[in-house]
Amino acid sequence: GDIERLLTNLLNIIPGIGLGDLITILLRNGLAIGHLIPTGYYRPHIENCTVSLKNGAGSLGNATSSYVGGFVGKQVGTVMDTCTVSGLKSVTANDYAGGFAGATMDALIRGLLTKLGGNISYSPSTENTNCTVQSVVNSSEDEQSETEATLWTITGTNYVGGYTGMTANSNIVNSTVKNLGAVTASGDYAAGFVGQATVGSGALSLGEDENTLLGQIGKLTGDLTGMEGAVLELFGAAPSRFNNCKILDSTLSVQAGNYAGGFIGQGDG
């Protein structure tokens, strides 16, 4: 009926994919229209997990890879509690390099809207609590103090941070970076904790040319002009939040072309 035609026409706008044909096939083979609309999202939970790298061997990534982190490369819509990375010597990436995560962002789930239906879009944030990143500790017969730990380094082109290269609509609480020596971005966004802290990842997907929230909404609504009963995809626009996060026992050097900071390189929201 009308809903089928609406979905088919809208999805066929995407070139080369034929999603409209897929919708037609699914609906004509007995799939209820309600099954095409998301009703919820269950975030994965990861608790009390540890990555312990061998002393002197904790070098991760390379200059051509993106999304490199000590615990996870790209964390999307996930809750992590009391997770630790130890034994880091260096982290290297092209874009998105972090001691704990290359990037942490919300999960963008798009809902298809009808002319009569409500706006349906879920954007579950990522949450990290009580997580720690620290370096290799030099071997000694005596118990070592934190200040004797070997400093580690992190290098990339853009989005480089001691904890994560970038956060989008993420909550980081009671988390710590230790023993960090240097953060270097040959491009932009570098800092001791997070290179860039910004709003929901749905906003990022619209491109760099419209990098303000009003500009993004204007582009999105402009793209849909003239489509009767068009689908509007909304995205999470909540800023990232940091509570009681620390950089400890570090001799910190931060370098970037633009946006360098001790804690955050650049923040939105």
Side-chain angles (χ1 to χ4, degrees):
D2 291 340
I3 294 177
E4 178 184 337
R5 286 193 295 273
L6 171 64
L7 296 179
T8 299
N9 290 337
L10 286 170
L11 293 175
N12 276 333
I13 293 171
I14 304 173
I17 300 179
L19 291 178
D21 294 334
L22 175 60
I23 292 294
T24 300
I25 293 170
L26 292 175
L27 291 177
R28 290 182 178 177
N29 283 275
L31 181 68
I33 187 66
H35 293 168
L36 299 176
I37 301 175
T39 58
Y41 177 78
Y42 298 94
R43 292 185 295 180
H45 284 241
I46 301 173
E47 299 180 4
N48 299 312
C49 293
T50 300
V51 175
S52 182
L53 301 168
K54 186 177 179 180
N55 190 24
S59 297
L60 303 175
N62 58 65
T64 61
S65 300
S66 292
Y67 298 104
V68 178
F71 195 93
V72 56
K74 184 177 181 180
Q75 182 182 354
V76 179
T78 305
V79 176
M80 294 190 181
D81 189 358
T82 317
C83 294
T84 301
V85 178
S86 63
L88 274 181
K89 181 179 180 181
S90 66
V91 177
T92 304
N94 180 19
D95 292 335
Y96 305 105
F100 189 85
T104 64
M105 57 184 62
D106 55 331
L108 181 64
I109 302 174
R110 296 175 174 88
L112 300 175
L113 313 184
T114 71
K115 287 181 286 187
L116 300 178
N119 292 358
I120 302 173
S121 182
Y122 301 91
S123 189
S125 63
T126 278
E127 296 183 7
N128 287 1
T129 305
N130 300 319
C131 295
T132 302
V133 181
Q134 59 191 21
S135 76
V136 174
V137 177
N138 294 324
S139 59
S140 172
E141 294 181 0
D142 301 321
E143 184 177 353
Q144 258 187 334
S145 69
E146 290 287 344
T147 56
E148 292 176 305
T150 301
L151 298 178
W152 62 282
T153 61
I154 183 165
T155 305
T157 302
N158 300 294
Y159 308 104
V160 183
Y163 187 86
T164 179
M166 184 272 288
T167 62
N169 189 12
S170 299
N171 301 321
I172 313 295
V173 180
N174 296 331
S175 294
T176 305
V177 173
K178 295 182 179 181
N179 324 126
L180 181 57
V183 181
T184 305
S186 59
D188 298 332
Y189 308 109
F193 201 86
V194 54
Q196 184 189 43
T198 188
V199 296
S201 56
L204 303 178
S205 66
L206 295 179
E208 295 292 334
D209 293 337
E210 298 80 20
N211 55 13
T212 66
L213 185 58
L214 289 177
Q216 291 158 358
I217 293 173
K219 178 181 184 299
L220 188 58
T221 55
D223 288 345
L224 298 176
T225 300
M227 300 180 193
E228 183 179 357
V231 171
L232 180 61
E233 295 174 355
L234 302 180
F235 46 81
S240 294
R241 292 161 291 276
F242 304 89
N243 295 321
N244 196 35
C245 294
K246 301 173 183 178
I247 302 171
L248 300 176
D249 304 315
S250 299
T251 305
L252 189 59
S253 169
V254 179
Q255 298 181 30
N258 296 290
Y259 308 110
F263 190 86
I264 297 176
Q266 187 265 340
D268 293 325

